[in-house]
Amino acid sequence: MKLSKLFKNLTVQVITAVIIGVIVGLVWPDVGKEMKPLGDTFINAVKMVIAPIIFFTIVLGIAKMGDMKKVGKVGGKAFIYFEVVTTLALIIGLFVVNIMKPGEGLDYSKLEKGDVSQYTANGGQGIDWIEFITHIVPSNMVDAFAKGDILQVLFFSILFGVGLAALGEKGKSVIDFFDKISHVFFKIIGYIMRAAPLGAFGAMAYTIGHFGLDSIKPLASLMLSVYITMFLFVFVVLNIICKIFGFSLWNYLRFIKDELLIVLGTSSSESVLPRMMDKMERYGCSKSVVGLVIPTGYSFNLDGTSIYLSMATVFLAQVFGVDLSIGQQITIILVLMLTSKGAAGVTGSGFIVLASTLAALQVIPLEGLALLLGVDRFMSEGRAIVNLIGNGIATIIVAKSENEFDEAKSVEAVADMKKMKTAV
């Protein structure tokens, strides 16, 4: 392939942008810091269309499925899978952090501290689960879309889809209309994705320019532990699951390589949510299953986040010399089984949930969160990537279990991917 044609490939563009971003952040850190608006603007552009895309996809998925018993069955299978696999992620995280002990020997007083008051102020009180559950039901439909509150949009979309399906033939014209509008939004996403390399460059240049490489050295052991755990989770646990259900993890990862690179650059799995839904359909999953599992997974199937939260909790215990008993570590798993699900619905995400976990345990100082500020950004890419991989695999598994997976489309998608690689 000619060089000019090669650089038209999104994968090549994103890789190049990330490399340039790292160089700019290292050589000209002040310039790198000024690049933050590029990454923020790209993320905002994607978030702009996420709510309507989720709405139309879920509504169309449920309405076209028709059978409400089937909707409940698919949702039930998805939630059971989410809980089982997330629990495995938590256990593996605790196992690795106890073996590697990244927090031992660190002098807390000498490490750079950040301002965590905005997190501990809320986190110290823990998550109010009654408020969290009632928050899922929006008091104003328009407000839910305006704020981009995914949980509330999910709730309203499911109700709307059920109502539309109940109309039967009377709702067919509405379904056809919504189907055409959904195509418009996916076309818009296509335009936005052309700016993905620019967004990846801006986000990476800012990260390296702001924090530098030296600032993460004291916590390099934690980062290594987290990434080793994520590697084991993806290539051992998820790989075994893929083999059990009869598909190749490697082919799947190669199929979504563009999305993985965009997440690597932007540190946000939300940046590829619409593309991921489209990719899963092209890979062979039915539109109805994709419409239910992918958006729900973004709120409740956070494998990467679960790994990070379990390891960060024990890491801080090691830093402060708190010897956690087996019973306390089991408590950590039980607490995080709940709090990790709340990450998507609480402002402040990981820090709020981690603070809530520490508050529930009442054995580790909340001020320890300051230790994680400097490197959290460097581990967020890994969390987002593992979350993305896990959600796609969950979609394939649920689709296969419901006989809603087109093997021919999957084989064709893999073949097309290999042809493109050969052409390059």
Side-chain angles (χ1 to χ4, degrees):
M1 181 181 286
K2 294 181 179 179
L3 192 62
S4 59
K5 192 173 183 180
L6 181 66
F7 275 93
K8 289 182 180 179
N9 183 279
L10 182 63
T11 303
V12 176
Q13 291 176 359
V14 173
I15 291 176
T16 304
V18 168
I19 293 173
I20 294 174
V22 171
I23 293 172
V24 170
L26 285 174
V27 180
W28 304 286
D30 290 337
V31 175
K33 293 176 186 177
E34 298 300 321
M35 296 298 105
K36 187 174 186 292
L38 293 178
D40 291 345
T41 302
F42 173 71
I43 296 296
N44 288 340
V46 176
K47 287 182 176 179
M48 172 181 67
V49 292
I50 283 179
I53 282 180
I54 287 178
F55 171 74
F56 286 115
T57 305
I58 290 180
V59 168
L60 289 170
I62 293 176
K64 289 182 178 180
M65 194 176 288
D67 186 357
M68 289 303 100
K69 288 184 179 179
K70 188 175 182 181
V71 174
K73 187 179 177 183
V74 170
K77 284 185 177 180
F79 274 105
I80 292 172
Y81 175 86
F82 293 163
E83 198 57 66
V84 170
V85 177
T86 300
T87 303
L88 286 175
L90 290 170
I91 293 172
I92 293 173
L94 288 178
F95 180 75
V96 174
V97 78
N98 275 288
I99 290 178
M100 298 192 68
K101 300 184 184 301
E104 286 192 352
L106 290 179
D107 186 352
Y108 173 71
S109 64
K110 292 182 179 179
L111 294 176
E112 179 182 353
K113 304 176 183 65
D115 178 15
V116 296
S117 59
Q118 59 179 314
Y119 307 111
T120 57
N122 292 327
Q125 301 172 4
I127 293 178
D128 185 333
W129 286 100
I130 295 178
E131 182 179 344
F132 172 74
I133 293 172
T134 55
H135 172 77
I136 294 175
V137 181
S139 60
N140 187 310
M141 174 196 72
V142 176
D143 184 60
F145 280 86
K147 290 181 178 179
D149 193 316
I150 300 303
L151 287 177
Q152 292 187 348
V153 172
L154 276 170
F155 182 83
F156 176 76
S157 301
I158 292 171
L159 283 182
F160 196 101
V162 170
L164 186 58
L167 291 177
E169 284 298 318
K170 293 181 180 178
K172 192 174 184 305
S173 59
V174 178
I175 294 173
D176 292 338
F177 177 64
F178 278 10
D179 191 44
K180 292 176 182 177
I181 295 180
S182 69
H183 281 91
V184 174
F185 277 101
F186 276 105
K187 181 65 72 173
I188 293 173
I189 274 293
Y191 297 144
I192 293 173
M193 282 302 120
R194 294 181 183 179
L198 197 60
F201 161 75
M204 192 58 67
Y206 166 75
T207 298
I208 301 298
H210 186 73
F211 295 111
L213 295 181
D214 290 339
S215 63
I216 66 172
K217 286 181 180 178
L219 301 170
S221 181
L222 173 62
M223 291 179 59
L224 179 63
S225 300
V226 170
Y227 276 103
I228 286 175
T229 306
M230 291 178 177
F231 180 87
L232 290 173
F233 178 75
V234 172
F235 292 101
V236 177
V237 176
L238 293 185
N239 192 25
I240 291 173
I241 292 174
C242 291
K243 288 184 181 297
I244 291 173
F245 283 87
F247 65 99
S248 168
L249 172 67
W250 184 243
N251 282 340
Y252 161 70
L253 292 179
R254 286 194 295 174
F255 186 70
I256 63 168
K257 65 180 185 303
D258 287 352
E259 289 68 34
L260 293 175
L261 287 166
I262 292 172
V263 170
L264 174 65
T266 61
S267 188
S268 170
S269 55
E270 281 191 348
S271 62
V272 294
L273 191 154
R275 281 176 61 98
M276 197 63 183
M277 295 171 77
D278 180 58
K279 274 287 183 77
M280 287 297 96
E281 285 186 49
R282 287 165 51 192
Y283 199 69
C285 301
S286 69
K287 188 181 186 69
S288 57
V289 170
V290 171
L292 281 173
V293 179
I294 288 286
T296 307
Y298 264 70
S299 295
F300 296 99
N301 188 36
L302 306 171
D303 298 330
T305 302
S306 297
I307 289 172
Y308 169 74
L309 289 172
S310 63
M311 297 187 75
T313 302
V314 178
F315 167 77
L316 292 177
Q318 293 170 353
V319 169
F320 288 102
V322 178
D323 186 17
L324 295 174
S325 65
I326 297 298
Q328 286 174 315
Q329 295 202 34
I330 292 175
T331 301
I332 290 174
I333 293 177
L334 296 175
V335 171
L336 286 174
M337 283 174 64
L338 295 174
T339 56
S340 62
K341 301 297 182 293
V346 180
T347 304
S349 190
F351 275 100
I352 288 290
V353 174
L354 184 54
S356 300
T357 305
L358 299 183
L361 295 172
Q362 295 183 346
V363 293
I364 304 169
L366 279 172
E367 64 183 31
L369 287 172
L371 291 175
L372 301 174
L373 285 178
V375 294
D376 180 75
R377 181 63 174 78
F378 291 94
M379 288 186 284
S380 61
E381 289 93 346
R383 296 199 300 267
I385 287 173
V386 174
N387 289 343
L388 180 74
I389 293 171
N391 282 328
I393 290 175
T395 306
I396 296 171
I397 289 172
V398 173
K400 279 178 170 284
S401 69
E402 285 294 305
N403 294 319
E404 294 280 346
F405 187 82
D406 190 331
E407 295 287 353
K409 283 182 69 175
S410 179
V411 171
E412 183 181 350
V414 172
D416 290 342
M417 174 188 65
K418 290 180 178 178
K419 285 180 183 178
M420 289 177 63
K421 184 179 178 181
T422 303
V424 173

